[in-house]
Amino acid sequence: MPVIRALTKAAKQALLTPGCRHRTTAIAVRTISISPRQVTSDASFHSVSFSETDHPKVLITGGLGQLGVGLAKILRKRFGNNNVILSDIRKPPSHVFHSGPFIYSDILDYKNLREIVVNNRITWLVHYSAVLSAVGEANVQLAREVNITGLHNILDIAAEHGLRLFVPSTIGAFGPTSPRDPTPDLCVQRPRTIYGVSKVHAELMGEYYHHRYGLDFRCLRYPGIISADSQPGGGTTDYAVAIFHDASKNGKFECNLKPGTRLPMMYIDDCLRATLEVMEAPTEQLSMRTYNINAMSFSPEELAAELKKQIPDFQITYNIDHIRQAIADSWPMNFDDSNARNDWGWKHDYDLPELVTTMLNFIGSDSRLAHTN
């Protein structure tokens, strides 16, 4: 029988690091037994497609990060404003708070999280809370608590209450011994960052709970995600977001990766649509529970060349961050996402030229780009 690790409400000191949405917590452990038979029965009930029942009631953890607000907007449009609850431990901006339900939720507080699921009759849980790659290397203990201990709370609550659970994974779940071009869904995974290790752990634990207890676990390995309405958050691929802001503002950018460092990337609209599509996919269409998804693959010098087509005087220089470079050199150069395309019809909309045009149009209305044009 699985053990649920629950955290007491201890005195907590806020530790907010760029790119991190959680704080350290004094931990006390107690155990609660749950019946595998009950878990399996509940999971089967909640795993039927939303079209066969009422709309799902969705909770998004870590919702004030790069992806949560955008996903909430899409889900609210599809399922109704009050059926999607955004949560985080930070105070939301006014426009987010007034856009739909928002609730305080600390994934390290098991009791609080369980109360939210029960009181709001949650049926889908999207777990975005995480400490990212570069920040995780600077604070391994925090990354371990948020990315692993927090995940255990999420898994146990999802299993106990028969939720459909989505946990994103990442290109960081692979390592230097993985095939890099392309990287298939199933291969050697030996990451060398705590972020990557925690994501492999999440993939395997989610799949174990699916096979052992019937948990409806679904996971996508995201490439680097690029969006215009969020600031870089401590990830190794964040140069591909920062470059647009700097190019639009002052026409130059200092990159912390080598010019030829090729990594898989995706525009945020494609990422959010893929997340919804895999969550809606009928169970019988899923041949696996963790999928690669991809859209494009490029290097800093290729991205800069495309930017120069829009901003001819744009200049890029390089000041290599050796920690981030080592991380990038251990990651895939390109994803093989053929299983996602074959199983549930994944197809991206944005390639590199569309990405650059869209990002500059979004960011550049008050920038040197507008003056140039």
Side-chain angles (χ1 to χ4, degrees):
M1 300 174 75
V3 172
I4 294 179
R5 299 172 57 86
L7 305 178
T8 62
K9 288 185 176 178
K12 306 171 184 176
Q13 296 296 323
L15 179 55
L16 295 177
T17 308
C20 167
R21 296 174 290 279
H22 292 275
R23 59 193 176 202
T24 55
T25 304
I27 298 175
V29 178
R30 56 197 169 97
T31 60
I32 303 173
S33 297
I34 58 177
S35 166
R37 179 179 300 177
Q38 184 64 41
V39 169
T40 302
S41 174
D42 290 345
S44 298
F45 174 79
H46 286 295
S47 296
V48 297
S49 172
F50 76 89
S51 60
E52 299 171 24
T53 62
D54 295 332
H55 287 327
K57 194 69 176 291
V58 187
L59 174 67
I60 303 174
T61 68
L64 297 183
Q66 184 186 28
L67 300 175
V69 173
L71 184 65
K73 183 177 180 180
I74 291 174
L75 296 180
R76 285 167 178 166
K77 183 176 180 180
R78 190 166 185 84
F79 302 135
N81 207 58
N82 292 328
N83 285 324
V84 180
I85 300 174
L86 206 58
S87 73
D88 211 304
I89 66 167
R90 293 185 290 144
K91 180 181 178 180
S94 294
H95 73 279
V96 173
F97 183 78
H98 293 292
S99 65
F102 181 90
I103 195 168
Y104 172 89
S105 176
D106 183 349
I107 63 166
L108 295 180
D109 186 338
Y110 174 87
K111 183 176 182 292
N112 170 252
L113 188 62
R114 194 166 185 257
E115 287 174 350
I116 292 171
V117 168
V118 171
N119 292 341
N120 293 282
R121 300 179 59 80
I122 298 300
T123 56
W124 284 13
L125 202 163
V126 177
H127 179 52
Y128 275 147
S129 300
V131 175
L132 302 182
S133 56
V135 173
E137 291 308 288
N139 195 333
V140 173
Q141 180 181 354
L142 179 64
R144 188 176 65 234
E145 290 179 355
V146 173
N147 295 4
I148 296 178
T149 302
L151 171 78
H152 292 177
N153 290 339
I154 293 289
L155 285 170
D156 286 331
I157 289 170
E160 181 181 9
H161 298 285
L163 310 185
R164 179 171 295 185
L165 173 64
F166 177 82
V167 179
S169 190
T170 169
I171 54 175
F174 298 97
T177 56
S178 305
R180 298 186 65 210
D181 190 16
T183 303
D185 285 306
L186 300 176
C187 65
V188 172
Q189 292 178 256
R190 291 293 184 272
R192 293 184 177 176
T193 66
I194 185 61
Y195 177 60
V197 168
S198 70
K199 287 302 185 181
V200 174
H201 179 80
E203 293 176 12
L204 295 177
M205 287 294 291
E207 292 177 13
Y208 172 77
Y209 269 58
H210 169 68
H211 292 295
R212 179 68 176 84
Y213 303 114
L215 175 64
D216 191 353
F217 171 81
R218 303 178 183 213
C219 178
L220 296 178
R221 293 192 188 104
Y222 290 157
I225 305 302
I226 301 172
S227 61
D229 56 354
S230 64
Q231 295 298 316
T236 301
T237 60
D238 278 349
Y239 87 87
V241 176
I243 192 172
F244 289 102
H245 291 278
D246 286 7
S248 297
K249 184 182 300 182
N250 53 42
K252 59 184 180 181
F253 176 69
E254 183 178 88
C255 184
N256 54 29
L257 296 180
K258 294 178 181 178
T261 306
R262 178 177 296 275
L263 292 168
M265 300 282 186
M266 179 177 289
Y267 184 56
I268 189 170
D269 286 10
D270 277 341
C271 174
L272 298 178
R273 180 170 54 83
T275 303
L276 175 59
E277 288 178 0
V278 78
M279 284 296 279
E280 289 186 331
T283 298
E284 59 271 16
Q285 290 185 4
L286 303 179
S287 65
M288 55 186 65
R289 289 285 154 169
T290 300
Y291 289 90
N292 293 341
I293 54 168
N294 200 18
M296 66 194 92
S297 182
F298 57 75
S299 65
E301 61 185 357
E302 290 170 332
L303 177 56
E306 194 66 36
L307 268 165
K308 285 183 179 181
K309 296 178 183 179
Q310 303 285 339
I311 308 176
D313 60 347
F314 172 71
Q315 296 180 347
I316 185 169
T317 57
Y318 296 91
N319 182 16
I320 310 306
D321 180 326
H322 295 289
I323 293 178
R324 291 180 190 241
Q325 186 64 51
I327 292 172
D329 288 342
S330 72
W331 283 0
M333 299 169 65
N334 197 16
F335 260 162
D336 176 358
D337 62 355
S338 55
N339 286 314
R341 294 176 186 268
N342 292 333
D343 284 3
W344 45 274
W346 163 241
K347 184 179 180 181
H348 70 278
D349 288 334
Y350 291 84
D351 289 320
L352 181 56
E354 291 82 7
L355 168 72
V356 170
T357 299
T358 302
M359 288 288 289
L360 290 179
N361 285 341
F362 193 101
I363 294 174
S365 58
D366 296 319
S367 68
R368 63 181 286 111
L369 175 67
H371 296 301
T372 299
N373 290 341

